[in-house]
Amino acid sequence: IEDDLQNLIEFSSDHFVLGADFNSAEEKKRLYLKVTDQGEKQGVIDEKKVSRLSVTQKMLSVAFLSADIIRIFQESASFRRRDLDRFCSDFDETYKGALRRYDKLIKQKNAVLKQDPPGDIQLWNQQIIPLAETVYTVRQAALESLAEQLDQLCKTHGFLTYDALTIDYELKGNHNPNGIDEQYGVWLEHTLQNYGEKERLAGHSLIGPHRDDFKIMIDGKPLDRFFSRGINRIFAVLLKWSQMMLIQSKLGLKPVLLLDDTFAEIDGNMKLKLRDVLQGNAQIFYTTVLEEDRDLFEDATWFKVSKGSVTHA
């Protein structure tokens, strides 16, 4: 989660090494990760170098959820898109490649729009539309599955009483509250034509999946605007857990959850409900500064960190 890798390295060192032992498909694995102050990453699994550390996603499903998890409903649309893109890349194997090609074309189109005078963007739009349609289709399917999983979790464990829960996809440039009445590719082509002059004046692309957003709706009301911070935090945790459950069913990997004071600002009763959702379905590492949180997890092993020393608590 840290963009500047130098911030992860001790001031007096030029690199750090992180190691972990884990079990995957009944086999013991050992992973080492080395990061240098030049931003270089090196990975080794069982003494074999791996060029892309994402290979571990096929062996180990890990999610880090901090107290900042509520940001998914507070930050800009770009923050939510990045989270959705990560999930969709695991949800559908065609997604990552289509998104990469789409982003590349958007950069090229933006370069044309920044020319003085701006160049003709019609050629770029024609290449962008089919890729955008793929991205849009996978996102819609992913959000529909997430909404079903989220709804089931909420109703089963009684987090909130409501009639309908949906996750609505918001198309930039669509002013019809009821969505679009035509195929997405047709709609996008028409919208790009209508926005051509605006894009030339702005100097960058204004329409497409790179500008879209999504919102969780409870009985037709946006979760982030009409419900408390505590409810938003609960739904943020449940949304991430729903993502992991869907990926788990696909890859057959039992998740590992790294929870960094994730239950902050949640009352004791709701904490127990969240514990019941997570416990037994994942291996959990939970850090907290609250002594009362020791009673949350059954059969837990607790450690205390003081001045850099780790001891049994």
Side-chain angles (χ1 to χ4, degrees), residues 160-166 216-223 227:
L160 190 66
T161 301
Y162 58 85
D163 292 325
L165 182 155
T166 60
I216 295 178
M217 307 292 288
I218 306 294
D219 289 337
K221 299 180 178 66
L223 176 74
F227 294 85

Side-chain angles (χ1 to χ4, degrees), residues 161-181:
T161 301
Y162 58 85
D163 292 325
L165 182 155
T166 60
I167 303 181
D168 291 359
Y169 190 88
E170 297 187 339
L171 287 167
K172 183 74 173 180
N174 176 42
H175 306 294
N176 184 351
N178 298 319
I180 55 178
D181 299 324

Side-chain angles (χ1 to χ4, degrees), residues 63-248:
F64 172 76
L65 309 182
S66 74
D68 287 338
I69 191 172
I70 196 173
R71 289 173 59 196
I72 195 169
F73 302 132
Q74 296 176 329
E75 291 281 351
S76 64
S78 61
F79 187 90
R80 285 182 289 279
R81 281 195 302 270
R82 286 195 297 271
D83 184 79
L84 180 60
D85 288 339
R86 284 192 291 267
F87 170 64
C88 288
S89 295
D90 292 329
F91 181 80
D92 189 302
E93 59 186 14
T94 66
Y95 185 82
K96 194 170 186 178
L99 180 65
R100 187 185 297 115
R101 294 192 298 273
Y102 172 83
D103 286 340
K104 183 178 180 180
L105 287 171
I106 289 295
K107 290 180 180 178
Q108 293 172 349
K109 176 182 173 180
N110 287 343
V112 174
L113 287 168
K114 286 181 172 62
Q115 294 175 359
D116 188 15
D120 184 8
I121 58 174
Q122 186 60 27
L123 175 62
W124 305 109
N125 285 343
Q126 291 303 316
Q127 297 179 73
I128 284 170
I129 289 171
L131 292 171
E133 192 162 19
T134 298
V135 172
Y136 168 80
T137 301
V138 174
R139 283 181 179 178
Q140 286 279 41
L143 290 176
E144 184 178 343
S145 295
L146 279 175
E148 292 176 0
Q149 187 69 58
L150 189 59
D151 183 52
Q152 181 180 352
L153 284 174
C154 290
K155 288 182 176 178
T156 300
H157 297 274
F159 285 102
L160 190 66
T161 301
Y162 58 85
D163 292 325
L165 182 155
T166 60
I167 303 181
D168 291 359
Y169 190 88
E170 297 187 339
L171 287 167
K172 183 74 173 180
N174 176 42
H175 306 294
N176 184 351
N178 298 319
I180 55 178
D181 299 324
E182 53 195 341
Q183 288 187 342
Y184 174 79
V186 176
W187 172 86
L188 182 59
E189 184 175 11
H190 291 164
T191 307
L192 286 172
Q193 291 173 356
N194 294 334
Y195 271 75
E197 184 60 26
K198 293 181 180 179
E199 290 188 332
R200 281 186 282 271
L201 291 172
H204 60 267
S205 178
L206 299 174
I207 301 296
H210 64 294
R211 303 278 291 179
D212 295 343
D213 198 359
F214 70 90
K215 287 189 179 298
I216 295 178
M217 307 292 288
I218 306 294
D219 289 337
K221 299 180 178 66
L223 176 74
D224 60 324
R225 292 175 57 190
F226 286 87
F227 294 85
S228 68
R229 282 178 58 88
I231 293 297
N232 272 261
R233 187 178 296 280
I234 290 169
F235 271 80
V237 174
L238 293 177
L239 180 65
K240 296 300 295 183
W241 180 240
S242 295
Q243 291 178 357
M244 297 203 71
M245 289 187 72
L246 290 171
I247 298 305
Q248 178 186 4

Side-chain angles (χ1 to χ4, degrees), residues 17-42:
V17 176
L18 178 69
D21 290 329
F22 64 95
N23 293 334
S24 178
E26 307 300 327
E27 293 182 348
K28 291 184 177 180
K29 301 286 184 181
R30 174 163 292 184
L31 166 68
Y32 283 110
L33 168 65
K34 179 179 179 181
V35 175
T36 72
D37 57 3
Q38 302 301 312
E40 299 173 349
K41 293 182 181 179
Q42 300 174 12

